[in-house]
Amino acid sequence: MTIVTDTGTWVRRNRMTVTPLLFLLPGILFFVVYVISPIFQSFGISLYDWDGLGAGEYIGLDNYRELMTDRAFETSLRNNVKWLVLYLLAIPAGLFIALFLNQTVMGIRLYKSLFFFPFVLSQVVVGLVFSWFFLPREGLLNAMLGLFGLEPVNILGDPQLATYGIIVAGLWPQTAYCMILYLTGLNAVDPEQIEAGRLDGAKGWRMLWHVVLPQLKPATFIAFVVTIIGALRSFDLISIMTNGGPFGSTRVLSFLMFEKALGEYGFRMGYGSAIAVVLFLIMLVFIGYFLWQMWRDERAARR
Amino acid sequence: MRSIVKTPLAVLAATTMLSGAAFAQDSLSGTLRISSDMSNPAPRAIMEGLVEDFGAMHPDLDIELTIVDREAWKTQIRNVLSANPPDVVNWYAANRMGPYVNAGLFMDISDWWEAGDYEGLDSVRGALTMDGRQWGIPYTYYQWGVYYREDIYNELGLSEPTTWEEELANCQVIVESGRACYTIGTRFLWTAGGWFDYLNMRTNGFDFHMALARGEVPWTDERVRQTFANWRVLIDMGAFIEDHQTYSWQDALPLMINGEAAAYLMGNFVVPHLHDAGLTDDQIDFYQFPAINPDVAMGEDAPTDTFHVPAGAQNVEAARAFLAYVASPEVQTEINGPDGLGQLPVNANASVADDEFNQQGFTMLSENAQGGIAQFFDRDFPAEMAAIGMEGLQEFMVFPDNLDDILGRLEQARQRIYR
């Protein structure tokens, strides 16, 4: 009996710690089962040669050695970098449109919704629309080039250009997303600080850079996070617009991983897992940065 | 029409099976579970009709039919076979069976072949054989070949080519008339595999092609280069449409329909698409891919679709009866007929539909394919080799100058894959 009352008092004494833990428990449980443990499983599977059906054969780091010599992997990695860098253009573009729309004129709500519209569309629809836009013969792009007397181009059929073509398609909805983030951010900009800046003679770029942007820092951070994540998730657009082609020139790591592990001619689970591990390590850099950034902000807020 | 045919057909089929198979028909009971990939409208109707008719013959048997999207099935079959497998599944012949045969997921049904369940199927038995055993039965196949615009050929005064010289001469005339000789859409790669199959079988013969598929010949072999050299002659003269890497095979159809291209190397399934687009039988015709090297016998691509019994099947007896039913001449005639799949029956005792293309295809495969009958690039080559290979073929069609690099890459892949 005494033990029971002891625990009772222990619970009572540590209520402030136990309660949040109990509330977190279901979430943590699912997170561990569906997110954390598959990560470690992937590490494990990447050491095997396994077709997903029979028994796997342990081959050590052979999958990784093969990755080093696999040109498809090299192309995909390079494309991932292109995506990461160029996709960030959505942030300044979104900021620009947000500043442009942040005014009170007749029907501004309508214009805002029209600019936001592409983000509402499914990525599949965006991909389809852009692949029609880029069509080599009938496409709108070549019709426009023709008006200026330029030669037609087959963007999605050219291994040098195809990835850029898909990134342009991806930037369309991503810019809209960043725009909406900045629009909400601009609502929170303190008019008194603007006023003070104006009294001190700041205007134009200086006003934007020194007064407005620092106040938009939270919006910029979120825009950065969602854009990086968006760039690393660029799977559906690629699948719809080029299916990884021509001759594999538009694959990114996630697409290559899918093809090798789960595609029609794939089912090399070990090799696919090895790609997944590399992709995870790349993401870890960003995840680490985001976590560190958030931790720093929290600490600053607590002070 | 269908309802009149059905009853006598069912009776006929039942009698043939009674004589052919050594078990009693009426004892079938329980549940027969079938997972099928015949999801396109016409095949779906056929599959549902099969189940209905077979069910009518066996009133005590409960048949559960699950139809999965044909593309999705290519990945789903793995889950279906490994967890709670049904009694009958659809798949493809030849090397495509490999993963499931090796993993022990398909039942070895050699005994049923031996017992005479499938009389008349001897010619297609090879495609279902692996390690000397049989792992399923075919239910349909179709020829590949050149489908061309008869009216354009007539306008230009051309006839069906039978030799490589005639072929090139024809193509020169077509190109000069401002058209492409061939339309093709290589976006999903496999169409390029068809071209390689034919060029390689015509240049080096069926046996060499199969040796290459089995990984016994290096891709950098001089004979393989000869195949690509022949291909390059066509590419350099502008025989193929431009920008084909952007098109699917359906996207490439309008170019033939509106007369910008004169022909299409394709499977017989292209015919309904051409008919639907308004081309009549007077405007389209078919010829066998012409000979290149007169010393090698003609080999043909004729992909075969199949039924298998999973190793974990519960109602094996019913599955056996169903397979025998599908393979019987009467059922074969009906399901491959003009109201059905419009393809070739696998049973030699079945009759081929009275259709210009089926008849030509059947004659070609039975009389002028002494070299042998291949399945298709992505079914004869191991999956991984096929994927890397077809990508190389597409690249070659766009940048023929990259050949050395492509072949080096394929050879590297060959050495790893066939280890």
Side-chain angles (χ1 to χ4, degrees):
Chain A
M1 278 307 279
T2 46
I3 299 164
V4 173
T5 40
D6 266 345
T7 14
T9 49
W10 183 86
V11 167
R12 196 159 296 162
R13 261 188 286 122
N14 296 285
R15 197 181 267 164
M16 293 301 280
T17 329
V18 172
T19 317
L21 280 182
L22 276 177
F23 274 114
L24 282 175
L25 193 67
I28 290 177
L29 205 69
F30 278 90
F31 193 67
V32 167
V33 171
Y34 292 111
V35 179
I36 304 292
S37 74
I39 292 175
F40 288 98
Q41 274 180 316
S42 288
F43 276 105
I45 295 173
S46 73
L47 303 177
Y48 285 83
D49 179 14
W50 184 42
D51 68 354
L53 289 173
E57 183 196 346
Y58 181 80
I59 52 167
L61 292 175
D62 276 4
N63 281 327
Y64 294 93
R65 271 183 216 112
E66 192 188 327
L67 273 185
M68 292 298 163
T69 60
D70 188 347
R71 280 219 306 234
F73 175 72
E74 191 190 316
T75 311
S76 310
L77 196 60
R78 195 170 297 145
N79 282 338
N80 258 113
V81 173
K82 284 183 198 163
W83 270 93
L84 282 173
V85 173
L86 293 177
Y87 218 46
L88 290 177
L89 288 177
I91 299 176
L95 174 66
F96 178 77
I97 297 174
L99 290 170
F100 177 66
L101 290 177
N102 190 38
Q103 45 190 318
T104 37
V105 274
M106 256 289 274
I108 191 70
R109 274 168 183 270
L110 178 69
Y111 302 137
K112 283 182 184 172
S113 356
L114 284 179
F115 272 95
F116 185 59
F117 187 62
F119 184 68
V120 182
L121 293 179
S122 146
Q123 294 265 303
V124 176
V125 176
V126 173
L128 267 181
V129 168
F130 267 84
S131 57
W132 294 333
F133 178 71
F134 288 139
L135 270 181
R137 287 151 49 101
E138 301 84 353
L140 204 55
L141 176 71
N142 281 324
M144 294 194 305
L145 287 179
L147 285 182
F148 296 101
L150 296 170
E151 288 283 300
V153 284
N154 179 10
I155 292 196
L156 296 181
D158 183 332
Q160 307 295 333
L161 297 177
T163 293
Y164 299 110
I166 306 174
I167 295 176
V168 167
L171 280 175
W172 190 45
Q174 192 64 27
T175 302
Y177 194 9
C178 292
M179 177 204 80
I180 212 79
L181 290 171
Y182 277 122
L183 272 178
T184 37
L186 283 169
N187 275 337
V189 167
D190 186 356
E192 284 182 14
Q193 287 190 26
I194 305 278
E195 194 61 38
R198 201 161 280 159
L199 284 176
D200 286 341
K203 53 186 172 189
W205 288 111
R206 289 171 66 84
M207 173 74 98
L208 176 67
W209 188 255
H210 294 289
V211 181
V212 180
L213 269 189
Q215 297 190 62
L216 287 176
K217 206 184 153 217
T220 308
F221 180 68
I222 297 292
F224 185 63
V225 173
V226 295
T227 304
I228 292 290
I229 293 173
L232 288 168
R233 292 199 319 178
S234 47
F235 181 92
D236 24 16
L237 281 176
I238 296 170
S239 172
I240 290 291
M241 293 178 70
T242 62
N243 199 35
F247 17 101
S249 59
T250 56
R251 287 195 198 104
V252 292
L253 286 180
S254 54
F255 195 84
L256 183 69
M257 174 190 76
F258 176 82
E259 271 195 0
K260 292 289 180 192
L262 304 163
E264 189 185 340
Y265 304 108
F267 298 114
R268 297 181 67 199
M269 296 299 177
Y271 197 60
S273 296
I275 300 169
V277 167
V278 172
L279 188 58
F280 173 72
L281 293 178
I282 294 171
M283 286 182 165
L284 203 59
V285 174
F286 293 100
I287 296 171
Y289 168 73
F290 295 149
L291 287 178
W292 175 73
Q293 189 78 14
M294 282 200 277
W295 175 76
R296 224 181 44 165
D297 288 354
E298 292 258 304
R299 217 176 47 162
R302 240 179 245 172
R303 240 177 229 158
Chain B
M1 173 67 198
R2 269 184 72 88
S3 56
I4 309 170
V5 175
K6 255 178 209 166
T7 334
L9 202 69
V11 176
L12 260 174
T15 42
T16 35
M17 283 200 310
L18 269 173
S19 55
F23 49 88
Q25 293 303 305
D26 297 315
S27 68
L28 293 184
S29 60
T31 309
L32 174 67
R33 294 186 306 142
I34 302 174
S35 285
S36 169
D37 70 344
M38 297 164 74
S39 61
N40 294 326
R44 189 185 187 106
I46 289 297
M47 190 67 222
E48 284 167 355
L50 276 176
V51 164
E52 199 180 306
D53 295 352
F54 187 68
M57 287 162 55
H58 304 285
D60 294 339
L61 188 67
D62 221 7
I63 307 181
E64 274 176 26
L65 173 66
T66 313
I67 294 180
V68 181
D69 175 75
R70 198 170 166 89
E71 290 305 313
W73 179 245
K74 289 174 181 169
T75 48
Q76 273 187 27
I77 184 175
R78 306 170 69 88
N79 301 343
V80 170
L81 287 182
S82 20
N84 191 18
D87 303 308
V88 173
V89 295
N90 275 130
W91 195 237
Y92 307 99
N95 226 320
R96 265 286 175 94
M97 305 189 298
Y100 311 107
V101 170
N102 294 334
L105 292 171
F106 279 165
M107 189 178 281
D108 175 0
I109 61 165
S110 309
D111 294 346
W112 305 353
W113 281 85
E114 292 303 326
D117 278 24
Y118 314 117
E119 221 167 292
L121 262 61
D122 300 325
S123 61
V124 282
R125 189 167 174 167
L128 275 303
T129 305
M130 270 196 131
D131 309 329
R133 319 285 302 168
Q134 284 78 48
W135 306 92
I137 61 144
Y139 68 90
T140 188
Y141 72 125
Y142 51 89
Q143 80 272 15
W144 270 65
V146 182
Y147 294 81
Y148 70 99
R149 285 287 298 270
E150 205 172 351
D151 48 350
I152 296 179
Y153 271 55
N154 288 338
E155 180 196 320
L156 300 174
L158 305 175
S159 54
E160 298 183 359
T162 52
T163 66
W164 189 232
E165 290 70 33
E166 286 173 23
E167 158 73 25
L168 294 180
N170 273 0
C171 191
Q172 194 59 47
V173 175
I174 295 168
V175 168
E176 277 163 15
S177 77
R179 301 178 177 96
C181 309
Y182 296 102
T183 187
I184 183 173
T186 58
R187 180 173 169 184
F188 294 100
L189 306 176
W190 53 268
T191 45
W195 271 95
F196 179 79
D197 279 351
Y198 274 102
L199 287 161
N200 198 33
M201 283 193 285
R202 294 291 183 269
T203 308
N204 299 310
F206 175 83
D207 295 333
F208 177 85
H209 185 63
M210 283 305 161
L212 185 67
R214 288 190 300 269
E216 292 160 11
V217 184
W219 278 92
T220 44
D221 191 284
E222 201 43 50
R223 290 167 290 180
V224 179
R225 283 181 188 278
Q226 186 54 47
T227 298
F228 281 100
N230 288 335
W231 199 347
R232 176 143 195 183
V233 175
L234 284 176
I235 295 171
D236 285 349
M237 69 195 287
F240 298 101
I241 61 162
E242 281 176 27
D243 297 320
H244 55 78
Q245 71 270 33
T246 317
Y247 302 133
S248 69
W249 77 267
Q250 293 100 327
D251 294 339
L253 274 171
L255 288 123
M256 175 164 171
I257 291 160
N258 66 25
E260 287 176 64
Y264 208 165
L265 175 68
M266 194 39 74
N268 195 52
F269 52 81
V270 74
V271 174
H273 292 267
L274 297 175
H275 282 159
D276 289 348
L279 294 179
T280 62
D281 280 350
D282 294 334
Q283 289 175 292
I284 45 177
D285 205 348
F286 170 86
Y287 64 81
Q288 183 173 20
F289 197 97
I292 294 178
N293 176 356
D295 301 332
V296 298
M298 305 285 242
E300 289 295 326
D301 267 343
T304 307
D305 293 351
T306 57
F307 277 109
H308 303 267
V309 181
Q314 302 295 313
N315 200 342
V316 177
E317 202 182 334
R320 179 176 185 179
F322 183 75
L323 259 53
Y325 172 71
V326 171
S328 64
E330 295 76 16
V331 174
Q332 276 298 309
T333 306
E334 196 202 0
I335 65 173
N336 285 299
D339 296 330
L341 300 169
Q343 297 181 355
L344 300 176
V346 292
N347 195 314
N349 304 323
S351 45
V352 180
D354 184 21
D355 161 273
E356 176 181 358
F357 298 99
N358 282 337
Q359 290 289 348
Q360 289 191 63
F362 187 75
T363 313
M364 174 180 84
L365 291 176
S366 48
E367 289 168 19
N368 202 14
Q370 292 91 346
I373 293 185
Q375 288 301 313
F376 194 71
F377 192 88
D378 66 352
R379 301 190 191 179
D380 291 320
F381 286 71
E384 219 192 324
M385 191 69 237
I388 297 172
M390 293 190 300
E391 209 170 280
L393 299 178
Q394 186 200 32
E395 184 175 347
F396 173 75
M397 286 191 77
V398 183
F399 298 116
D401 289 337
N402 293 1
L403 182 63
D404 285 330
D405 183 52
I406 296 166
L407 290 183
R409 200 164 67 218
L410 297 196
E411 175 56 17
Q412 195 189 356
R414 181 189 75 91
Q415 287 174 9
R416 179 174 52 75
I417 293 165
Y418 296 94
R419 235 180 330 178

